Amino acid sequence: MVTRLSTQDALFYYLDEQDATTHIGSLLILDRGSDQLQYDRLLATVESRLGAVPRYRQRIREVTLGLGRPVWVDDNGFDITYHVRRSALPSPGAEEQLHDLVARLMSRPLDRSRPLWEMYLVEGLTDNRMAVLTKTHQALVDGHDAVEINQVLVDDSPRAPDAPQDIWLPAPEPSDASLVAGALTDVATRPREIVGALRGLSAPVAGVGSAVTGSLRRVGSMLRFATDGAPDSPLNGPTSGRRRFTVASADARTCARIARHNDCSVTDVVLAAIAGALRRWLLSRDAAVDATATVRALVPLGAYNGYGDPDSRGGSWEQIDDAEWTAAGVRGFVTDLPVGEPNPTVRLSQVAHLTGRHSTSGRRVAMGTRSWLPEIGPATFHAMTSRAAATLSGRSFNLPISIAGGGSAPQYLAGNRIVAAYPVPALVPQRALAIGLNHYNGRIFVAFNADRDIMWDLASMPEYLAEAVGELAVRASEP
């Protein structure tokens, strides 16, 4: 049976050009230990678990003349060694070298003639470590029919469970005639879509034009806040396909202590620290930052499910209102980060006040949304957040921030302990920076993915974030 791409998946597929790649990714740092992860073992581990993510052995095939949305078909020439690759850093294997490699790999388009994902085993890191970078097209991970591959690769113990035997035989590829017939049958019940396709046969994207319009209409309620545009910011402007990447981390217990001291949530602390880091970045560029300056951030409501601190107040969901959006099954809200406020305690208080309306009693939990969250892992949640952010108006926010909880104990990949887990969030057009956070094993891991030309000074961001957390920690220690 042929599976047709959803309207949103088709939109991501057609918009993925060299200047606007829509990859998402994850970067796992592994401790080699006594059981070093070799390329052959990673290859075998991935291959043994592909049965849990069947779409990773499918490619996208377009329909003749753009008469319908593309379809997923089994890749008859699937070659696991093309997708799982090996790389090594030159000596000394510093963090900066790894970050440069991630930026270069995430800048390259995926091969559309194959399944839209790649994985790299990166060797040569300092301190006897290695890394695994996963790069996946947003059209591939929808959170329902397909999850991010790391979700099925990561184990809770060094001894991996026995994987069921996977005997895969690709289905015969459909003919062009059958695809055209299927497309016409599919759109016959949606006359607006076929009219849109027939109006522009010369351009494949025309076939999804009216469908995209319908999709935006269906999520119109989430765009009502877009009339109040985001403030002007150097974070916004024409972006390229070239990337910069860097990471930071913070102690989760320190953030929890700050949250308890200020009677707020850990996520409030994280957002206030990001606001402090952005303030430092703006001042470093001699930007005019008055006391009322803000940066509008898009944050998933999943960050307010008790993330990081079970005693924090931000531990529930609320019903949707005008300042929230619903897209691709993910709920979230926009909030203004007070980058103009010089006092870190006041800055945190302002963030907590703005986000407080997104927390409420458990009696108002939106169960329909909450029910599917435990079924997806952090990597998939970041992918879903990136998909949702890409559907919003270009003027509705300055900065997407994706936050996901992870395991509270160490996890393993092919028997090797994961010491750090960073998301690699996708950049949204017209936004020069995307930030992703994972709470894993007692630390909060932060990743910054940025446009190379606009954010030439991205390497300073980890230091700015550490300073912002540090000043909050000092205030929390005062009597």
Side-chain angles (χ1 to χ4, degrees):
M1 179 179 177
V2 171
T3 302
R4 199 169 302 282
L5 271 68
S6 70
T7 298
Q8 190 179 52
D9 290 345
L11 179 61
F12 285 135
Y13 175 72
Y14 283 126
L15 291 181
D16 188 16
E17 300 171 352
Q18 191 155 355
D19 290 340
T21 54
T22 58
H23 321 318
I24 51 93
S26 60
L27 177 66
L28 303 180
I29 309 298
L30 310 178
D31 185 355
R32 280 182 179 272
S34 59
D35 188 15
Q36 296 185 8
L37 178 60
Q38 302 293 336
Y39 173 74
D40 289 346
R41 185 173 180 184
L42 176 62
L43 197 68
T45 300
V46 174
E47 194 164 26
S48 69
R49 303 193 185 187
L50 283 178
V53 281
R55 192 156 287 174
Y56 278 69
R57 286 188 289 214
Q58 293 184 317
R59 64 182 181 87
I60 292 177
R61 183 170 164 189
E62 298 182 22
V63 180
T64 303
L65 299 178
L67 288 172
R69 297 190 303 276
V71 298
W72 294 103
V73 298
D74 287 349
D75 183 8
N76 291 315
F78 181 75
D79 179 2
I80 186 67
T81 62
Y82 176 86
H83 297 276
V84 181
R85 306 178 181 184
R86 187 176 186 177
S87 184
L89 298 177
S91 180
E95 297 281 348
E96 293 77 11
Q97 292 173 290
L98 175 62
H99 302 161
D100 287 344
L101 176 63
V102 171
R104 289 197 304 271
L105 293 176
M106 296 303 291
S107 298
R108 299 174 185 171
L110 288 160
D111 184 351
R112 289 192 179 196
S113 68
R114 300 176 183 267
L116 297 173
W117 66 280
E118 297 170 357
M119 180 178 293
Y120 295 83
L121 174 62
V122 184
E123 300 174 302
L125 274 71
T126 57
D127 301 325
N128 198 33
R129 298 170 302 156
M130 63 184 70
V132 173
L133 172 68
T134 305
K135 171 181 170 182
T136 309
H137 197 286
Q138 287 196 65
L140 184 58
V141 182
D142 62 12
H144 301 286
D145 294 324
V147 297
E148 212 274 347
I149 193 170
N150 278 358
Q151 185 171 330
V152 301
L153 293 181
V154 172
D155 302 311
D156 292 329
S157 67
R159 182 178 176 83
D162 294 332
Q165 186 175 12
D166 177 34
I167 301 176
W168 179 71
L169 296 175
E173 191 164 330
S175 65
D176 289 340
S178 65
L179 287 181
V180 170
L184 294 176
T185 301
D186 181 63
V187 300
T189 57
R190 294 190 296 276
R192 291 184 182 179
E193 184 170 349
I194 189 63
V195 168
L198 293 175
R199 283 177 177 173
L201 294 180
S202 62
V205 74
V208 298
S210 60
V212 171
T213 301
S215 176
L216 292 177
R217 185 181 302 111
R218 287 192 294 275
V219 298
S221 60
M222 80 179 184
L223 299 175
R224 283 178 286 177
F225 66 84
T227 55
D228 180 18
D232 291 332
S233 171
L235 291 171
N236 304 118
T239 51
S240 69
R242 297 175 294 277
R243 301 287 178 258
R244 291 186 188 273
F245 181 79
T246 193
V247 302
S249 69
D251 181 65
R253 292 183 180 179
T254 298
C255 294
R257 176 169 57 83
I258 297 170
R260 286 191 294 269
H261 181 81
N262 292 277
D263 190 27
C264 63
S265 76
V266 172
T267 305
D268 292 332
V269 174
V270 171
L271 293 178
I274 290 174
L278 291 173
R279 172 180 171 81
R280 287 167 167 80
W281 174 73
L282 290 168
L283 291 174
S284 74
R285 291 193 166 200
D286 296 326
V289 183
D290 60 40
T292 61
T294 61
V295 168
R296 181 160 296 176
L298 179 70
V299 186
L301 266 182
Y304 281 82
N305 64 352
Y307 152 72
D309 183 4
D311 298 324
S312 66
R313 66 164 172 79
S316 57
W317 298 74
E318 74 170 0
Q319 294 174 337
I320 197 164
D321 61 26
D322 288 349
E324 296 174 1
W325 43 260
T326 300
V330 177
R331 289 191 174 187
F333 65 93
V334 289
T335 190
D336 291 327
L337 303 181
V339 296
E341 175 53 56
N343 186 302
T345 303
V346 175
R347 192 185 308 133
L348 175 56
S349 176
Q350 291 176 350
V351 168
H353 174 75
L354 290 170
T355 60
R357 64 178 180 268
H358 299 282
S359 300
T360 187
S361 70
R363 289 188 294 271
R364 294 182 61 200
V365 167
M367 295 302 296
T369 301
R370 188 181 184 185
S371 60
W372 66 271
L373 276 173
E375 300 174 4
I376 67 172
T380 301
F381 186 76
H382 286 293
M384 298 301 295
T385 302
S386 293
R387 285 167 60 93
T391 67
L392 296 187
S393 164
R395 286 292 302 159
S396 56
F397 66 96
N398 303 115
L399 169 70
I401 301 176
S402 178
I403 306 176
S408 58
Q411 294 180 316
Y412 302 83
L413 176 58
N416 291 256
R417 185 169 65 94
I418 300 171
V419 296
Y422 299 99
V424 185
L427 281 192
V428 180
Q430 303 297 312
R431 280 83 166 187
L433 177 65
I435 301 177
L437 300 95
N438 275 340
H439 178 214
Y440 165 70
N441 194 28
R443 294 198 67 80
I444 297 172
F445 295 99
V446 187
F448 303 89
N449 193 22
D451 182 89
R452 188 171 189 85
D453 297 331
I454 299 177
M455 300 286 291
W456 68 86
D457 48 0
L458 182 69
S460 300
M461 200 63 75
E463 180 182 353
Y464 295 154
L465 185 69
E467 291 174 354
V469 173
E471 64 184 4
L472 288 171
V474 169
R475 301 294 180 98
S477 301
E478 297 173 353

